[in-house]
Every structure is written in C-alpha cells, then in structure tokens.
Amino acid sequence: MRRELLTPIPLSELEELAKRAGADVKLTLLGKSGRNGIVLNRVLIEGPEEDVGRFMEKLRLARAGG
C-alpha cells in the first residue's frame, strides 16, 4: 500500500513514530512546500496495509495529544 502525507512533522520524528508503532513501513521524503509560512514535508508511506494503518493511527494519536 502507498499513501502520501503532507505534514509539518520532520521525517526523523515520523520514523520514530513508525518504530514505536511497530509498523514495518518505508518513509520517503518527496519534497517540501510552504503554506502560510509553514514548511510542509511531502512524505510517501509504503508498506503492508495493516502496518500503514497502524502507523497512521499512532500518528493521529500522537498529534492529538493521545
């Protein structure tokens, strides 16, 4: 499964979240863009569907304060 994510979170922090989630995903920085003065990273997430889902859930909880 492949997904693209547009986020201000640095790639190193995303990799740490994937490790903590136990998700076997490959994260690739595709580029950077700016919006309203905020630098956004375009990240490609590749891996098995279950692992991508686990990573996205961990990311959601981490950013929501959960």
Side-chain angles (χ1 to χ4, degrees):
M1 174 178 208
R2 297 172 68 147
R3 283 187 105 168
E4 277 190 34
L5 178 66
L6 195 58
T7 179
I9 304 169
L11 187 60
S12 59
E13 188 175 332
L14 292 173
E15 290 170 339
E16 180 62 33
L17 280 171
K19 187 185 298 183
R20 281 193 271 154
D24 183 25
V25 294
K26 178 182 175 192
L27 303 173
T28 307
L29 182 63
L30 299 176
K32 294 183 180 212
S33 63
R35 186 180 299 162
N36 297 331
I38 298 171
V39 177
L40 298 173
N41 299 313
R42 203 166 123 231
V43 179
L44 177 65
I45 306 164
E46 295 178 289
E49 187 173 350
E50 304 82 34
D51 287 343
V52 171
R54 190 176 317 134
F55 168 73
M56 294 301 288
E57 180 66 14
K58 184 74 169 180
L59 176 62
R60 184 185 68 80
L61 290 174
R63 299 322 279 178

